[in-house]
Amino acid sequence: MDIRSLELFQHLASSLHFSKTAEALFVSPSTLSRTIQRLEEECGTPLFVRDNRKVKLTAAGSKLLGFTQQTLTEWKKVKGELQQDHQQLQGELSLFCSVTASQSHLPNLLDSFRHKYPQVEIKLSTGDPAWSASKVMQQEVDASIAIHTPDFPKELKFLPLDEVPLILIAAKDLQLSRLYQVDWRKHSMILPESGPSKRIVHHWFTEQGIRPRVYAKVAGNEAIVSMVALGCGLAIVPQIVLDHSTVGQRVNRILLDDIEPYQLGLCCLQARANEPAIQALFNC
């Protein structure tokens, strides 16, 4: 008994006509007859009653038909899955993210993706996280790791990956470790020039009723951390930036319980979300 024999048996049980089944499944009538005889020998009982005018399924044949239908259905399912695994996704996938995200969140994502789809070529570019959404909108990249904002484009699909807290940092020489120690009239701030952090930091100062002394406005959180380490002022930065900064040990972290964290996630154009490579990335 094998898959081909069961296929022939199933069709004959439906057609009840040897010539029609033989023609439909591309075998000779004699081959079909031998196959049915072998099945009957294996089952130890007749499966069909046949005479010169008609073919009829026996009670045993009806029982075998139930088994056959279930077996062939399962076989088609498994065969489809095997073929899907064999037909490896190929092509190119372009991604954009910040330098920090390329260290903090991208490795785990790409490890999973590369393991499942080794034939897809990944093209990665990094830069200011403020560009993440626009890069996807302009189709300069297929997907990006971006920060969700209140004005996030509706044309983009967003899959949350993590919530990132923001913390206040100061050079170790200042010996500041608690928020109450900060004299806002004395200490200058290094503020983000653009990006989601700019809105959150500005909103926090407004809620606190603080008008900060601004030393500089800087593009890029990595550069802000470096300037704080050099003693240029205080700053509020995402924790993951500090965790992956080469000068992170040269600053003190001051927790801010009442500042809004931001949501980090993967985004692509809604209109392209079902493209195979992009869909595979989101599934990872």
Side-chain angles (χ1 to χ4, degrees), residues 56-76:
K56 184 179 179 182
L57 203 61
T58 65
S62 295
K63 287 185 179 181
L64 182 63
L65 180 59
F67 166 80
T68 298
Q69 290 170 334
Q70 182 179 355
T71 301
L72 292 180
T73 297
E74 287 297 313
W75 166 240
K76 288 178 181 178

Side-chain angles (χ1 to χ4, degrees), residues 72-247:
L72 292 180
T73 297
E74 287 297 313
W75 166 240
K76 288 178 181 178
K77 179 182 176 182
V78 171
K79 187 177 179 182
E81 291 173 353
L82 293 173
Q83 289 177 340
Q84 187 174 9
D85 290 342
H86 178 68
Q87 294 169 353
Q88 288 283 350
L89 191 63
Q90 298 181 8
E92 182 180 286
L93 185 68
S94 57
L95 301 174
F96 176 86
C97 66
S98 68
V99 173
T100 298
S102 72
Q103 300 169 337
S104 62
H105 290 78
L106 194 63
N108 286 340
L109 178 62
L110 287 190
D111 278 348
S112 174
F113 185 82
R114 292 290 292 167
H115 177 73
K116 291 183 178 180
Y117 310 105
Q119 296 186 46
V120 176
E121 180 183 353
I122 302 293
K123 297 187 71 175
L124 175 65
S125 57
T126 59
D128 191 327
W131 304 337
S132 297
S134 63
K135 289 274 187 182
V136 175
M137 289 287 291
Q138 295 167 17
Q139 299 196 53
E140 295 178 22
V141 295
D142 299 319
S144 72
I145 294 180
I147 299 166
H148 198 274
T149 59
D151 59 348
F152 200 74
K154 294 181 180 179
E155 297 89 346
L156 297 183
K157 175 181 179 179
F158 184 84
L159 177 68
L161 297 175
D162 198 7
E163 272 204 346
V164 179
L166 280 80
I167 55 177
L168 180 67
I169 58 173
K172 282 190 176 292
D173 292 345
L174 296 177
Q175 298 183 339
L176 299 174
S177 58
R178 298 288 187 273
L179 184 59
Y180 71 84
Q181 297 175 314
V182 178
D183 185 344
W184 297 107
R185 297 166 300 177
K186 175 183 174 183
H187 297 107
S188 297
M189 289 294 301
I190 302 167
L191 299 179
E193 188 177 53
S194 60
S197 294
K198 178 182 178 181
R199 177 190 63 84
I200 296 173
V201 170
H202 177 77
H203 182 67
W204 185 81
F205 277 122
T206 301
E207 282 194 330
Q208 302 298 317
I210 299 170
R211 188 170 183 176
R213 292 177 56 194
V214 180
Y215 175 82
K217 293 183 179 181
V218 178
N221 286 303
E222 293 85 357
I224 291 175
V225 175
S226 295
M227 291 187 70
V228 172
L230 292 170
C232 299
L234 312 184
I236 297 175
V237 297
Q239 183 176 315
I240 58 170
V241 173
L242 195 59
D243 290 342
H244 293 84
S245 172
T246 56
V247 295

Side-chain angles (χ1 to χ4, degrees), residues 24-84:
L25 297 187
F26 307 103
V27 295
S28 65
S30 59
T31 298
L32 176 60
S33 293
R34 286 196 299 270
T35 299
I36 298 303
Q37 287 172 3
R38 282 198 301 270
L39 281 175
E40 291 177 326
E41 289 171 3
E42 242 182 297
C43 294
T45 184
L47 302 174
F48 294 94
V49 175
R50 39 201 183 276
D51 56 32
N52 293 333
R53 289 183 297 175
K54 62 181 180 179
V55 176
K56 184 179 179 182
L57 203 61
T58 65
S62 295
K63 287 185 179 181
L64 182 63
L65 180 59
F67 166 80
T68 298
Q69 290 170 334
Q70 182 179 355
T71 301
L72 292 180
T73 297
E74 287 297 313
W75 166 240
K76 288 178 181 178
K77 179 182 176 182
V78 171
K79 187 177 179 182
E81 291 173 353
L82 293 173
Q83 289 177 340
Q84 187 174 9

